[in-house]
Amino acid sequence: MNGSLIALNITSEDLKYAEISSAGGQIALRASHRMLFAHDDREAPGLIRKVIQDKKPLTSRALLVISSRDITYREFSFPFSSPKKVGSAIRFEISSEYPPEDFIIDYVESIPREPGKKAFLAGVAKREIVRKRIQAAEEAGLQIIGITSDLSTLGNYFMDETEALIMDTGQSHTLFSLFLHGVPLFVRDIPIGTSQIRGELKKSEDRTLRSLIGEIKRTVLSFNTKAGQTLKKVHISGNILLEPIVYEALKKSSDIEFLEEKPEASGIQTGELNHPVNAFASLLGAAWWKRGKSFNFFKEEFAQSVPGAMGTTYFKWATLLAAAVFFAFFSSSLFSLFALEKREAFLTREVRKTYTEAFPDSRKIVDEVKQARNALNARLSDLGGSNPSMKTSFLDILETLSRTIPGQTKFEIMNLFWEKGKVEIGGRTDSFKSVNAIQEMLTKAGHFTDVTISNAKSRDDGQVVEFTLTIRFEG
């Protein structure tokens, strides 16, 4: 990192702000501040503007650090490490639970625990939450240059520690994480925070505090058992260090050794602070956010263009291209289909659109292909013809491709030519093995008289294989 950077963490209860500067190889914390919302996070833009006015930062560039309270983590293990394959496999595994249209998914490589396999930790963030956080920062005049998770920044902050068991506390949640040289090994989040404990202590009650202590002991035992470690010390960070009464009550009620000092190797200069530096550990780690393997939620429609450039997002470009493709198909019968992750959903929409245009009077649509066949038969009967057995139609071909080729098999349709009894598709996949698999699946489906592959060529250093798929049928 060169120059200055603002690290910003916003939750539904509070926001944290830190400005970090780097000059001559020295990293320093210029300013830090935490504010609680009186009501909810709609107050965030105004409070950020107030901090900016008070602190007068040297930059408007900001890294948005999403709280783990708003992120779900999932562990995965695969016998391969190709980013393309890993990303596709993770999205396939969780797509039914976390639809890509509603959630952003990213992953980092973890420490493998099985021979011959690679371990990965996936983070899932709700798009609506991320949009809200971006909007709050931009309304306050900040320029978002990256979006990551507090798990990543904590790992960066403690990267030089061989082993670090961290307990990061928020207002209504606590994140436990075990790192090996900054790489996350285990993660656990519980819905207990400083606000609940503080409220009970005012009433001379400690049920929530005792619950938290129990969860700490269970977590330490679980992490040590899984990792084969004997860690007894817990690095503590976050809001509890800004609540002296709550922190003292925790230490008095537990025999666990808590460490609140900053890592010796961090080298970050903090000056004279009126609070423990680790209270802002998840923001201080932003100083090295490009050094390690960090979650990256700054993608798709969240990636803002540079000033003066077109503000069109990837999602909008995809929509415009899809519209152009559809227009070209209906005007000339020659169209180019751009690959979509949810190919089955795309083909379903295309079948529905074709059907509604052909039969605009249809009110209840259940099975487009069957209803189209029945409607055509009925019209032929009205014209005095018989009810012939329908030959294979374009809708049949689309439906068969969608049903026969599974979603995990990479298959992009680049162009398509249709004539009576034959369809020729220019396709793209990830390997020659996948080409053979596609041909075999379509042949075994039994719907076509012949399925052949030709002109298979390797592109992009073997990462992409382009080929021509010719399907013959009765028609």
Side-chain angles (χ1 to χ4, degrees), residues 6-18 33-37 41 44 48 62-71 133 136-137 142 144 148-151 153-154 168-171 173 238-239 279-284 286:
I6 292 174
L8 190 65
N9 173 256
I10 307 172
T11 71
S12 57
E13 296 97 2
D14 66 347
L15 71 83
K16 287 181 181 178
Y17 167 102
H33 198 63
R34 194 277 299 258
M35 290 164 288
L36 297 174
F37 299 135
D41 55 6
I48 297 172
L63 175 69
L64 193 58
V65 181
I66 303 296
S67 170
S68 286
R69 182 178 185 272
D70 298 321
I71 298 176
R133 305 299 182 234
L142 296 179
I144 301 297
T148 190
S149 160
D150 56 5
L151 183 67
T153 49
L154 285 169
D168 187 67
T169 53
Q171 286 299 100
H173 84 290
N239 291 2
F280 290 84
S282 63
L283 296 187
L284 294 177

Side-chain angles (χ1 to χ4, degrees), residues 238-311:
N239 291 2
I240 198 169
L241 295 176
L242 302 174
E243 304 272 1
I245 295 176
V246 177
Y247 186 39
E248 289 302 318
L250 175 64
K251 290 192 291 186
K252 289 179 181 179
S253 303
S254 173
D255 57 358
I256 299 172
E257 183 178 355
F258 295 112
L259 304 176
E260 60 186 77
E261 299 81 14
K262 71 176 181 178
E264 293 182 5
S266 69
I268 191 167
Q269 299 176 3
T270 56
E272 295 296 327
L273 293 178
N274 56 3
H275 55 72
V277 63
N278 279 7
F280 290 84
S282 63
L283 296 187
L284 294 177
W288 304 279
W289 72 289
K290 290 185 177 181
R291 180 180 70 171
K293 297 178 181 178
S294 300
F295 285 105
N296 173 24
F297 298 116
F298 192 53
K299 56 180 65 174
E300 301 169 17
E301 68 265 38
F302 299 120
Q304 301 296 313
S305 60
V306 296
M310 293 181 65

Side-chain angles (χ1 to χ4, degrees), residues 53-266:
Q53 291 172 358
D54 294 341
K55 305 297 182 181
K56 296 179 174 54
L58 302 177
T59 182
S60 62
R61 299 166 65 251
L63 175 69
L64 193 58
V65 181
I66 303 296
S67 170
S68 286
R69 182 178 185 272
D70 298 321
I71 298 176
T72 300
Y73 297 104
R74 291 291 181 86
E75 296 179 4
F76 293 92
S77 180
F78 302 116
F80 46 81
S81 59
S82 164
K84 185 177 181 180
K85 289 184 178 180
V86 172
S88 297
I90 290 176
R91 285 190 291 271
F92 174 77
E93 289 287 339
I94 63 178
S95 60
S96 60
E97 186 176 1
Y98 300 103
E101 61 268 23
D102 297 326
F103 294 88
I104 309 175
I105 302 169
D106 195 38
Y107 70 91
V108 294
E109 188 169 350
S110 184
I111 308 295
R113 300 192 295 278
E114 297 180 63
K117 289 195 174 183
K118 299 288 186 177
F120 302 91
L121 183 66
V124 184
K126 206 166 188 178
R127 292 183 183 274
E128 181 183 357
I129 295 288
V130 178
R131 289 193 187 101
K132 184 186 292 186
R133 305 299 182 234
I134 292 174
Q135 183 179 1
E138 291 185 339
E139 285 183 6
L142 296 179
Q143 176 194 354
I144 301 297
I145 61 169
I147 305 173
T148 190
S149 160
D150 56 5
L151 183 67
S152 291
T153 49
L154 285 169
N156 293 337
Y157 186 61
F158 290 94
M159 181 170 286
D160 294 317
E161 298 282 322
T162 302
E163 300 156 337
L165 177 56
I166 302 170
M167 171 181 155
D168 187 67
T169 53
Q171 286 299 100
S172 60
H173 84 290
T174 298
L175 174 71
F176 296 99
S177 49
L178 177 61
F179 293 92
L180 299 182
H181 290 293
V183 178
L185 185 60
F186 301 112
V187 182
R188 182 172 183 247
D189 188 89
I190 62 171
I192 299 177
T194 57
S195 61
Q196 298 105 306
I197 299 174
R198 182 181 65 248
E200 285 194 359
L201 290 178
K202 289 181 178 180
K203 302 176 183 177
S204 299
E205 298 177 359
D206 63 352
R207 286 174 300 176
T208 303
L209 179 61
R210 283 187 281 111
S211 295
L212 176 61
I213 294 171
E215 294 294 343
I216 296 172
K217 292 180 178 180
R218 279 189 285 274
T219 301
V220 172
L221 177 62
S222 174
F223 284 6
N224 279 332
T225 300
K226 291 179 180 179
Q229 305 288 343
T230 56
L231 299 176
K232 297 179 181 180
K233 300 178 181 179
V234 178
H235 292 273
I236 193 161
S237 64
N239 291 2
I240 198 169
L241 295 176
L242 302 174
E243 304 272 1
I245 295 176
V246 177
Y247 186 39
E248 289 302 318
L250 175 64
K251 290 192 291 186
K252 289 179 181 179
S253 303
S254 173
D255 57 358
I256 299 172
E257 183 178 355
F258 295 112
L259 304 176
E260 60 186 77
E261 299 81 14
K262 71 176 181 178
E264 293 182 5
S266 69

